[in-house]
Amino acid sequence: MVLYVTKYNLPPDKVDEYLQWAPDAMQRMLGAPGIKEVRVYMSVAGESQLIVTYEFESPENWASWGTDAEVQKVILEFFRYALNPKTEIWNSSPLYPEPLRP
């Protein structure tokens, strides 16, 4: 499994515009091949206001999704709204490749 994480803030004067743009942008990203799941989190504490996680079955799926023309368009549009964007890419741990549950 690969987890692609994006953390960012929204400028106060762009929040309403972002809220109009985001639902369509998310659907366009979900329509690209390779993606398994997306989760969006709002900050309770910390530097970033929003964190979005994108899950993929493999690095190849992530690469396929990331090079998709529509995903590239959405990413360029995203930069109109995001302040301090940070991205991280994570792979499964060989020690715990599956989720742990009680």
Side-chain angles (χ1 to χ4, degrees), residues 57-82:
E57 290 289 339
S58 68
E60 294 79 19
N61 287 60
W62 169 73
S64 173
W65 176 85
T67 57
D68 181 83
E70 195 62 32
V71 170
Q72 289 294 311
K73 282 186 205 175
V74 172
I75 289 170
L76 287 174
E77 294 168 8
F78 167 76
F79 287 116
R80 292 190 304 212
Y81 306 106

Side-chain angles (χ1 to χ4, degrees), residues 1-4 34-36 54-58 61-62 65:
M1 182 200 67
V2 171
L3 192 65
Y4 178 65
I35 194 160
K36 180 179 174 186
Y54 305 84
E55 188 175 314
F56 304 89
E57 290 289 339
S58 68
N61 287 60
W62 169 73
W65 176 85

Side-chain angles (χ1 to χ4, degrees), residues 1 5 11 16 24 26 32 38 47 53 67 69-70 72 75 85 96-98 102:
M1 182 200 67
V5 179
D16 290 339
D24 177 65
M26 190 61 70
V38 175
E47 293 180 18
T53 63
T67 57
E70 195 62 32
Q72 289 294 311
I75 289 170
Y96 299 108
E98 298 299 322

